[in-house]
Amino acid sequence: QVQLVESGGGLVHAGDSLRLSCVASGLTCSNFAMGWFRQAPGKEREFVAAINWSADTTPYADSVKGRFSIFRDNAKNTVYLQMNNLKPEDTAVYYCAADLTGVVVTTLNWDYFGQGTQVTVSS
């Protein structure tokens, strides 16, 4: 059974930093892609960032470019999202995602999503 477990969310002030982590378990294949999505209250889930197995493909949403960084530790089946200079509009539930094809896409067409971790940024 595939599980994606996120951690690292919390309540911070504008300008602060947070690092989210997501540990994947139960994946029977290698070379899977991983990504982060977010959903703010009353809004649709949206793409934030993604990374392929070799970490040479890392697209970002325009709204987070230059502030967020995605990286992974394949030995630990873990993906991270370093979030700097956080803004109130970054407030959302952040979801980790995994795709067994290894292909990075910016749509919601991923194989698995985690349960999410709340990030709240106060002004």
Side-chain angles (χ1 to χ4, degrees), residues 31-68:
N31 301 332
F32 53 90
M34 298 192 78
W36 290 95
F37 291 75
R38 67 185 182 186
Q39 188 166 15
K43 295 188 176 182
E44 295 184 349
R45 190 172 298 189
E46 64 177 7
F47 170 80
V48 175
I51 185 167
N52 65 346
W53 179 261
S54 58
D56 57 9
T57 300
T58 55
Y60 293 90
D62 288 343
S63 59
V64 306
K65 280 181 181 177
R67 299 188 298 122
F68 290 12

Side-chain angles (χ1 to χ4, degrees), residues 6-12 17-21 36 83 117-119:
E6 304 97 334
S7 62
L11 172 62
V12 297
S17 298
L18 274 177
R19 178 177 292 184
L20 306 183
S21 301
W36 290 95
M83 305 185 294
T117 184
Q118 176 71 47
V119 172

Side-chain angles (χ1 to χ4, degrees), residues 68-119:
F68 290 12
S69 295
I70 187 170
F71 55 101
R72 64 190 294 168
D73 184 338
N74 289 337
K76 297 181 179 180
N77 278 355
T78 301
V79 65
Y80 304 91
L81 185 67
Q82 177 67 41
M83 305 185 294
N84 299 328
N85 189 23
L86 282 161
K87 303 176 180 180
E89 51 263 43
D90 294 319
T91 295
V93 177
Y94 283 71
Y95 298 90
C96 175
D99 188 272
L100 302 183
T101 67
V103 176
V104 168
V105 296
T106 60
T107 65
L108 293 175
N109 190 26
W110 288 66
D111 293 322
Y112 302 100
F113 284 89
Q115 293 299 307
T117 184
Q118 176 71 47
V119 172

